[in-house]
Amino acid sequence: MTANLKTGASLPRRTAARLVAGKGRYTDDIQVAGLLHVAFVRSSYPHARLKRIETRAAADMPGVVAVLTGNDLAKVCAPWQTQLALLPSHLSPPQMPMAQGEACWQGEAIVAVVATSRALAEDATESVEIEWEELPVVADVQAAALADAPVVHSAMTSNLGLDHTVSTGDAEAAFRQAAVTVEHTFSFDRQTGVTLEPRTILAEFDPRLQQLTIHHSHQVPHQMRDIFAAQLKLPLSNVRVVAPDVGGAFGLKLAAYPDEMAVATIAVLLERPVKFCADRLEAFVSDNHAREAKVHGRMAVDADGRLTAMDVSVVSGFGAYSAYPRGSVGEALQAVHMVAAPYKMAHLRGRVRGYFQNKPPSGVLRAVGQPIATTVTEQLLDLAARRLSLDPAELRRRNYVDTATATARSAGGIVLAELSLERCHDRLLQLMDYATLRQQQRMHRDKGIYRGIGLAAFIEQTAVGPTLYGAQNVRASAQETCRLTLEADGAIRCATSITDQGQGTSTALAQIVADALGVDIETVEIATGDTQLTPFGGGAWASRGTALGGEAALRAARKLKESVLGIAGALLQTEPDLLKIEDGRIYNTASPLPQMSLADIATTAYFKAHLVALTELPALEITESFAPRDLPYVAANGIQAAHVEVDVELGTIRVLDFWVVDDCGRVINPLLVDEQIRGGVVQGIGAALYEQCIYGADGQLENGSLVDYLVPMASEMPDIHVAHVQTPTSATTLGARGVGEAGTVGAAAAIWTAVNDALTPFGVVLSEQPFTPERVLDALAARKD
Amino acid sequence: MTDLHSIAFMLNGKSVTADVDARLHLADFLRHTLHLTGTHIGCEHGVCGACNVLVDGRSTRSCLMLAVQVDGAHVETIEGLTASGQIADLQAAFTARNALQCGYCTPGVLATAAELLTGNKPTRDEIRDALSGNYCRCTGYHAIVDAIETVAGKRHGGAP
Ligand code: FES
Ligand code: FES
């Protein structure tokens, strides 16, 4: 092959040059003539009946065009209801763009004010009068579970939205026979995504053509097109959804949000362009939340340090409604099914219950439930290692699942194939110089410095296929498609169903296409994020962009190459097998001189086809789709390590260093992959140390601003060392696995094990995430008493 | 509701006069009145730094400053910093090092870095401290620190 292959090279992203110049085009940057702005009146009560809404005074305010209630929007927009075919008891009441009759969380949209500027719309919201009747509030999951708990929504008969069990082998017997059993309780506070660009939507409706055009800060424009069309009763082909530059998404921008449905509805109702951009305060109470869970976990280990069984009980908080259309059960189910996935373990008993609460709906956040399962498993492993007086690294080394060749299932049913946990482990210990760190740890302890080393091996579900949502009857496509065209000027246009919020998947696709076709990467143009320009498919979710979108692109490129060489063979009167393409030129393998260019082929095929001596002209526009159908997903694996120091006087935790060895199969662009991992790690560190939505028992969010909700900032974060083991997956011809969530799957667990390792001399094991200074000091004080 | 004030200031090297509403903050004025959309808004309460611009050479939260307050000042936004070429090395280093993903934080980060690099060559820790008012959800900061460190090294004539 040619020397200058792009696949595997650290090419910078092509959009980066535009973004560093401030030339991004995010949804709020788009100028539209006659644009109106929406501001919402939101419920200040977590649960209340709407007795009367008085909008007249607001309607008379300067600049106000309309003041609309849920009843007004119901004339145009049909209600929707989250339903999961395999979980019929996950009953979420029908939802409307704005509350009708009853508000079920603090922050739910009640009234929309439409005005000529956002400021004027906000002014007028203050003149809307609502008469409320407060209803009983269920905020805490444990309160929601009580037999006599009030219901979250009057249409519900119970707050229980999920009760699911797993049973593999005979956990009971394994615990009886275990040499060592350990147990611990874990609490994971509610978090939210805090994308720097808040949710934003711009909707335009052309009444003559009955066409709705939406610019949307979102990950899955094809899904949203389907939903807007269905709810507003428009033919699918009359709806176009464009996701321009998106300022961070992380799963938060996968859902159909009621207030965004309201904006699309208002555009249709008023026949005017309207925009809504959430401000930070309303983002905290209207973006989907995630992670809230209480877990009790037990682990059984034999005298040789072999993990035999786990018993896990999870209680998860859903919020007031199940997120549409994907539901809110993913976090809870993954929390149970993913436990011990990297380890040989025969017996598992698990139970997971999920409850509705008067809080914002919970939904997808990078790594969905996998961080919970990883944390529970890794922390229990460390506790077992202590009981056995075994080094934690050694205990892990004895237990990794070996699926180098065969496909196996973990006790939780996770499908594993072609893993490399042992190799990742060995590489990590070498990278971090584990033995030396342990030695230094002992020396530091003697001086009253408490450092901890934490490990977390992980499995990451990537490139998820249609069995996840397809089987639930949820219209979230898992298939990715590439439409590859030889343009009339000889350039290549690659229109892809995947979307790119900065991961760099567009660049990875260009690399794949350039190599497979043998063209200069500069001649490959990528079209993405616009339902009118791109073929139907999933978008960005479950770490799929390069793994699945790249596979579709590779397949299309190979076919297009065949077409090009077929035409070239006819023109050159040579067997196509004797021809090759390099740098966009066609060579006969026997000669170093180019015979013709791709532009020549295009010119001949498009304008002088009579010169091609073939009965059928091969297609120069190829569409290829791919979804894994034999496997539910492509599992990736890796291991992470954290080195931390705990100040036992102040309760503060400093992350000194962090390492990751990841196997995402074939690496297409290391520069992109490494930054996906680092970004994901920092989100995991944030979860373990800082991030929490603090709710009072009254259901009010007490820290709904960026001043009070702490996120990881540069000065507290460590450098993150990343290395790779590459085991290409045989599930695709490309061999790439996903990597978008890897960092987040394991990072919180590595912080848990590191901090608790540091606290070993005190006999303290923290159990509530995030590890705030107060919680650290409380735990130390409780121990001293 | 409107209470208009006349202001005159230098924006990206050109003089601008405008009548602005007293309550309009600088970020909204730049974005929505002047259509300079490279300045971003992430919180409007002074924490995230997405709105950072240079006011008289100091990196400043444009969401916390009223448009009327820039009367007589020199304001530089990402558009002006780009056009003048004064941060071209930083921009190239950010691109080469993949120090941005969604890019939403980037103009604000660059304003902070532009100010930082007018001083002595910063250490890695000093770069992290200088960035402590710029929230980035995507990168985890490591690549941003790398990119700034590289430019600091080059500007001070040594190896990074
Ligand atoms: S928008 Fe100004 S600091 Fe966040
Ligand atoms: S690159 Fe997305 S917030 Fe920094």
Side-chain angles (χ1 to χ4, degrees), chain A residues 212-267:
Chain A
L212 179 67
T213 303
I214 307 259
H215 283 81
H216 203 181
S217 179
H218 213 274
Q219 297 166 247
V220 285
H222 285 286
Q223 171 197 292
M224 293 313 300
R225 177 182 186 231
D226 192 54
I227 291 174
F228 289 127
Q231 299 315 124
L232 298 169
K233 300 171 208 106
L234 293 166
L236 193 55
S237 48
N238 287 24
V239 181
R240 175 184 186 186
V241 179
V242 185
D245 290 325
V246 172
F250 317 113
L252 190 152
K253 294 174 182 173
L254 272 179
Y257 284 89
D259 53 12
E260 295 176 4
M261 286 301 308
V263 174
T265 307
I266 292 167

Side-chain angles (χ1 to χ4, degrees), chain A residues 308-319:
Chain A
T308 56
M310 281 181 75
D311 180 4
V312 182
S313 161
V314 177
V315 177
S316 172
F318 291 151

Side-chain angles (χ1 to χ4, degrees), chain A residues 356-520:
Chain A
F356 291 100
Q357 318 149 279
N358 293 113
K359 288 181 180 174
S362 70
V364 173
L365 179 62
R366 199 175 196 171
V368 194
Q370 299 175 98
I372 296 175
T374 307
T375 298
V376 170
T377 306
E378 297 297 313
Q379 186 59 64
L380 289 173
L381 274 172
D382 268 20
L383 297 182
R386 272 185 223 175
R387 290 278 303 280
L388 289 163
S389 301
L390 260 181
D391 182 271
E394 174 56 26
L395 178 63
R396 285 172 176 77
R397 192 67 174 76
R398 291 183 190 179
N399 282 290
Y400 290 124
V401 64
D402 174 20
T403 53
T405 46
T407 298
R409 270 180 189 273
S410 76
I414 302 307
V415 178
L416 307 166
E418 301 163 313
L419 302 184
S420 60
L421 286 154
E422 292 174 356
R423 277 186 293 150
C424 289
H425 177 103
D426 295 344
R427 180 94 179 79
L428 179 89
L429 296 200
Q430 182 192 29
L431 188 69
M432 67 192 288
D433 196 356
Y434 182 78
T436 306
L437 280 183
R438 280 281 175 220
Q439 250 170 17
Q440 290 172 348
Q441 181 183 35
R442 283 188 289 271
M443 285 158 43
H444 279 113
R445 267 184 198 164
D446 295 340
K447 291 186 240 154
I449 295 169
Y450 297 97
R451 291 193 170 174
I453 302 158
L455 300 174
F458 66 91
I459 299 290
E460 178 199 5
Q461 286 184 24
T462 81
V464 172
T467 52
L468 178 65
Y469 291 118
Q472 298 284 14
N473 224 355
V474 167
R475 289 166 72 87
S477 178
Q479 165 176 302
E480 300 305 341
T481 301
C482 171
R483 186 170 61 232
L484 204 59
T485 310
L486 176 65
E487 297 272 35
D489 63 357
I492 306 296
R493 183 173 179 76
C494 169
T496 175
S497 61
I498 61 162
T499 59
D500 186 347
Q501 295 80 39
Q503 300 91 326
T505 37
S506 302
T507 302
L509 255 60
Q511 291 174 267
I512 292 164
V513 168
D515 280 351
L517 274 174
V519 301
D520 179 355

Side-chain angles (χ1 to χ4, degrees), chain A residues 47-121:
Chain A
H47 198 190
R49 199 174 316 288
L50 303 167
K51 296 192 69 178
R52 198 177 56 87
I53 303 178
E54 181 49 64
T55 59
R56 246 166 305 170
D60 289 340
M61 294 281 288
V64 172
V65 174
V67 183
L68 301 162
T69 64
N71 291 345
D72 297 325
L73 302 194
K75 292 171 198 149
V76 180
C77 182
W80 63 89
Q81 187 169 19
T82 306
Q83 286 176 313
L84 304 174
L86 303 180
L87 296 165
S89 66
H90 189 57
L91 280 177
S92 181
Q95 257 190 294
M96 287 298 293
M98 296 193 294
Q100 284 181 287
E102 182 179 1
C104 294
W105 83 84
Q106 175 220 354
E108 187 171 3
I110 312 290
V111 174
V113 177
V114 188
T116 51
S117 80
R118 167 87 190 200
L120 292 173

Side-chain angles (χ1 to χ4, degrees), chain A residues 148-171:
Chain A
D148 59 349
V151 285
V152 164
H153 185 295
S154 54
M156 291 177 175
T157 51
S158 154
N159 298 321
L160 182 67
L162 177 71
D163 189 352
H164 169 86
T165 55
V166 196
S167 177
T168 305
D170 186 349

